Amino acid sequence: MQHRIVVLGAGYTGAIAAGRLAKRLRREDVAITLVNAEPDFVERVRMHQLAVGQELRPRSLAEMFADTGVEVRLAEVTGVDVDRRTVAVTDPDRPGEDRELEYDTLVYALGSAWDHQGVPGTVEHAHEIAGRPGALRLRERLAGLDAGESVVVVGGGLTGLEAATEIAEARPDLDVSLAARGGLGDWLSPKGRRHLRKVFGTLGITAYENAAVTEVAADHVATADGAAIPAAVTLWTAGFAVHPIARATTLNVTDTGRIVVDGTMRSVSHPDVYAIGDAAMAAGPGGKPLRMSCASGTPTAWQAADSIAARLTGGKLPNAPLRYFNQCISLGRREGLIQYVTADDRAVRAALTGRFAAVYKELVCKAAAWGVANPTLGVPARRRAVTRAEVRPAAV
């Protein structure tokens, strides 16, 4: 009987994990199912580009995983019962009708969405670019703006910086500003901060620093100090929230709903469940939690897939480097910033800036997409036989 592995979510981490499992294990020993709500892989790190009108190459999951032995199941996950080892899904052509998938090993990679943080008016009036639908809605709204109208990006993290600069470069006729809770790029090195301010100045972006947004209205955002910043369009990038399904299970999760895992990405409460990417509360160097990012997600996917393969085949457990090397920030199409960091993500003095940094970031994005689009890295044959699979009876 085949060992049933179900991977939930085909973002960067889920797709990488499914492909890596297909590369590590023999096809006759395992049945790998990859469940995703959309038929295409979405390059989430490029949503700010999609929002300003750039076209992204479609990447069909069915084509990507053809001949790998991974079954792509187009469905929305509506629930997980970790005690019965089942996943409830709804097929797009049968809305409202749940079906169950049984698993022996579950890889939970449902990721995250935008976090409106309960700020009044955000849900009603703000846009988000945490996924393709949101980016397309913003794209349509930006296309309808007249010259001189204002766009406010809320959030001074990597997503906010990339979005503000991309919009300002693509639409120099708009009045673009960014509201940051702290100082502009205050986590960067001095060189990094200087370059960021230079780019903001060149693009004409107004930075509102130490400006915590307390309300979003149809035509402005209000800040904690009583200021009102005009906004024909508000883009909210102030953090991400994980998918709520894990919180509804008996899994051990954090207050924010992230699944607590050990060093192999295995749930500390349910050993047949692995969590990767944004969904996992994983520890990096010094026990510091990994931040939600592609830089964190990819090594967690490697670690989980290789750990599953090792446990099923009697191999040695892996030790993927769950650490950071740099923060890659695009500042439009012609400028970039590569901030080198310590293993636990603290900025060091060294930073790469300018056109070369933009090329560097583009190569990183292309390499990440190539890795997902070639899930077995050209080696589709399974290499090791399953020797320790424990298959439960079908759920009742």
Side-chain angles (χ1 to χ4, degrees):
M1 181 180 294
Q2 288 180 311
H3 187 87
R4 300 161 298 184
I5 302 174
V6 175
V7 182
L8 303 183
Y12 288 96
T13 58
I16 288 172
R20 201 170 178 94
L21 285 164
K23 181 180 179 181
R24 295 282 187 267
L25 300 169
R26 296 197 313 178
R27 184 174 303 191
E28 57 267 34
D29 292 341
V30 295
I32 304 171
T33 303
L34 177 61
V35 183
N36 200 59
E38 298 184 53
D40 296 330
F41 168 70
V42 176
E43 289 188 80
R44 191 174 182 182
V45 297
R46 294 190 187 274
M47 289 300 97
H48 54 288
Q49 296 176 236
L50 183 64
V52 299
Q54 297 172 36
E55 296 299 332
L56 302 183
R57 174 187 172 188
R59 299 178 185 274
S60 166
L61 291 171
E63 294 179 4
M64 286 165 47
F65 285 93
D67 301 321
T68 66
V70 175
E71 177 192 358
V72 176
R73 179 74 177 268
L74 183 59
E76 179 182 356
V77 178
T78 58
V80 176
D81 188 330
V82 293
D83 299 312
R84 295 177 59 243
R85 290 186 175 184
T86 61
V87 177
V89 300
T90 299
D91 293 334
D93 54 349
R94 291 188 176 92
E97 181 182 333
D98 278 354
R99 295 173 176 268
E100 281 192 343
L101 301 178
E102 298 175 2
Y103 67 83
D104 299 305
T105 297
L106 180 70
V107 181
Y108 188 102
L110 290 179
S112 62
W114 71 309
D115 184 2
H116 55 76
Q117 300 176 358
V119 174
T122 305
V123 173
E124 296 84 358
H125 302 297
H127 288 265
E128 51 86 15
I129 54 172
R132 183 178 175 85
L136 290 174
R137 285 191 292 270
L138 177 59
R139 175 176 178 156
E140 182 178 2
R141 183 70 182 95
L142 290 175
L145 293 181
D146 294 327
E149 292 196 84
S150 56
V151 176
V152 175
V153 177
V154 179
L158 303 187
T159 304
L161 297 181
E162 293 193 331
T165 51
E166 198 75 51
I167 294 170
E169 181 184 88
R171 290 292 304 274
D173 59 320
L174 298 178
D175 181 10
V176 180
S177 61
L178 180 141
R181 182 178 291 274
L184 182 64
D186 55 5
W187 75 93
L188 298 169
S189 65
K191 179 180 180 180
R193 289 196 298 270
R194 286 194 300 270
H195 185 68
L196 180 61
R197 290 184 181 279
K198 175 184 175 182
V199 173
F200 265 50
T202 300
L203 294 174
I205 303 171
T206 302
Y208 294 92
E209 301 180 74
N210 304 304
V213 172
T214 56
E215 183 180 4
V216 178
D219 60 354
H220 72 278
V221 299
T223 62
D225 59 3
I229 306 173
V233 171
T234 299
L235 172 57
W236 190 271
T237 68
F240 297 96
V242 297
H243 200 291
I245 283 181
R247 193 194 296 269
T249 70
T250 56
L251 287 165
N252 187 331
V253 300
T254 67
D255 291 342
T256 59
R258 300 176 78 182
I259 300 171
V260 182
V261 297
D262 62 17
T264 67
M265 302 301 111
R266 196 182 204 180
S267 164
V268 297
S269 61
H270 291 73
D272 50 348
V273 176
Y274 292 73
I276 56 179
D278 293 354
M281 176 53 70
K288 183 178 178 180
L290 298 177
R291 60 178 166 87
M292 294 184 183
S293 66
C294 188
S296 305
T298 298
T300 65
W302 296 340
Q303 180 75 345
D306 291 356
S307 296
I308 293 169
R311 287 188 169 113
L312 290 179
T313 62
K316 181 179 178 181
L317 285 174
N319 185 24
L322 301 178
R323 56 153 297 166
Y324 298 98
F325 297 93
N326 52 43
Q327 295 178 4
C328 302
I329 311 170
S330 65
L331 302 173
R333 296 299 87 203
R334 297 183 292 272
E335 283 281 358
L337 170 59
I338 309 301
Q339 176 63 64
Y340 296 100
V341 298
T342 59
D344 63 351
D345 210 29
R346 291 175 290 113
V348 298
R349 292 182 61 184
L352 185 66
T353 62
R355 176 61 180 166
F356 191 71
V359 173
Y360 186 113
K361 171 62 187 291
E362 180 63 20
L363 290 175
V364 168
C365 292
K366 286 183 176 179
W370 186 91
V372 173
N374 297 271
T376 58
L377 302 181
V379 187
R382 275 56 171 177
R383 291 183 174 179
R384 289 181 286 178
V386 170
T387 59
R388 299 185 179 182
E390 296 179 2
V391 182
R392 279 192 179 180
V396 296

